[in-house]
Amino acid sequence: MHITIYGSGYVGLVTGACLAEVGNHVLCADIDIERVNTLNSGHIPIYEPDLEALVQQGLATGRLQFTADLAAAVHHGQVQCIAVGTPANQDGSADLHAVSQVAQTMGRFMEDYKLIINKSTVPVGTAEWVRTIVSQELKSRQVALTFDVVSNPEFLKEGDAVNDFRKPDRIIVGTDQPYPTELMRTLYAPFNRNRNKLLIMDVRSAELTKYAANALLATKISFMNEMANLAERVGADIEQVRLGLGSDPRIGFDFIYPGCGYGGSCFPKDVRALQHTAQNVQQPLSILHAVEMVNTQQPYRLLAKIQHHFPNLQGRRFALWGLAFKPNTSDMREAPSGFLMEALWQAGALVQAYDPQAMSEADHRYGQRSDLQLCPTPETALIEADALIIMTEWKLFRSPDFKRIHSLLKQPLIFDGRNLYDPQQMAKLGFTYYGVGRGARLVG
């Protein structure tokens, strides 16, 4: 199939590379010429496991290309996929400006039938809105062409997106027309072999499914953080509670790890956008208001522990392991590390940070400043630091050399925002250890 994808960000890149891998001819369009040139050279501007090699493979076979020529993009594919960003507006609503631009572009240049797939995360009713925009452009050209608009939300986890696309749990398609249904079955046939994962539903239900899924996962995280905060007050260990909860098959172990809050490009903005949609139809979502409030406060609960231990943070130096909002990505959008660092800086503290993949992103975000040192290794971040703070659960941090940590820190003190270590073991090793919901503080 000949496929055009608008947007060469996270979703567009993964979608394009994976569709090209199975034999399709994919053209990814982007208005950022510098990004297009970088991608055509075989380099990608983000870190995602296996993605760069997959892009390079697609380029080498000629089945994956990148362009800033929007007219050529429209002409290339019978299948036109919208995968542009929908960031949050100040009121929490999704910014659909880029979606509108793509719809206008397709209406301006299309010359035959197109199947328009909306992969961007968008509010309920967007497919109808896209149809209206394309129709208006065709009308202004006095051209009568047929096209269909379907909803096909993505369910890609950052850090495992390539695997998620290759082996999806489900493929949601929103349409009530037989022809686009058959085209979508053909498109996804290579990823739908061992069982039927295609779920066909009406367009509005498909659009809502994406938001509902992310909101529910965010709710699980905030609920566990609430339980962790309670566990600290009553002397319980949230890790033991987590094992008890996860053993119930109705609950499961996914997304019930307490910590310093969720972040990234999806959960925060999607929770807000869904609340905005609900408010517009006079059906406020009280649960999601609480979910967002808990998540906003969670990084500062770790800060409160730091301030309790050090009443005066002026001049204190902290080693910080983990900048990305989760492992296996370089994404720092709304990362808890950012909120904590900014609070530490405001209190006069200095941060020595290390992350396996997000160092360039941190440098881009914060630049050169006297209270931030980006360190080449986890160990160099520890030198002369008053304490170690862990903000991202990278595998690299799970089993470190604790004797080395003990010797490099000014004092053996760890604030663990991801509960990587066992409090009893930390006490035996001589560390003062603060976790999240681990009961009483243990002093070695």
Side-chain angles (χ1 to χ4, degrees), residues 6-69:
Y6 298 92
S8 296
Y10 175 74
V11 174
L13 270 180
V14 174
T15 301
C18 289
L19 288 174
E21 181 187 29
V22 297
N24 297 295
H25 295 271
V26 180
L27 181 62
C28 292
D30 202 291
I31 60 174
D32 186 335
I33 296 177
E34 183 178 351
R35 175 183 285 257
V36 168
N37 291 336
T38 298
L39 291 168
N40 274 324
S41 70
H43 300 289
I44 64 175
I46 59 174
Y47 174 74
E48 179 66 34
D50 302 325
L51 181 56
E52 187 163 79
L54 200 58
V55 168
Q56 292 170 352
Q57 174 186 308
L59 290 168
T61 61
R63 292 195 299 268
L64 178 63
Q65 295 177 300
F66 300 91
T67 186
D69 185 339

Side-chain angles (χ1 to χ4, degrees), residues 320-325 331-332 335 337 341 353-355 358-359 362 374 392:
L320 190 143
W321 284 3
L323 293 166
F325 85 95
D331 195 345
M332 286 185 64
S337 64
M341 285 195 299
Y354 172 79
D355 187 283
M359 302 294 272
L374 298 176
T392 313

Side-chain angles (χ1 to χ4, degrees), residues 126-189:
T126 300
E128 297 168 14
W129 180 65
V130 167
R131 170 175 286 281
T132 299
I133 293 173
V134 175
S135 296
Q136 288 174 344
E137 288 292 331
L138 292 174
K139 185 177 180 180
S140 69
R141 292 169 53 199
Q142 298 182 328
V143 173
L145 296 172
T146 59
F147 65 94
D148 287 294
V149 182
V150 305
S151 174
N152 176 219
E154 53 84 16
F155 296 95
L156 306 176
K157 299 186 298 291
E158 288 196 49
D160 200 25
V162 172
N163 185 60
D164 282 345
F165 198 99
R166 287 169 170 167
K167 301 175 181 179
D169 298 317
R170 74 286 204 200
I171 303 166
I172 303 290
V173 174
T175 180
D176 56 2
Q177 298 297 319
Y179 184 57
T181 298
E182 290 309 308
L183 284 179
M184 294 298 285
R185 289 190 189 280
T186 301
L187 178 66
Y188 279 108

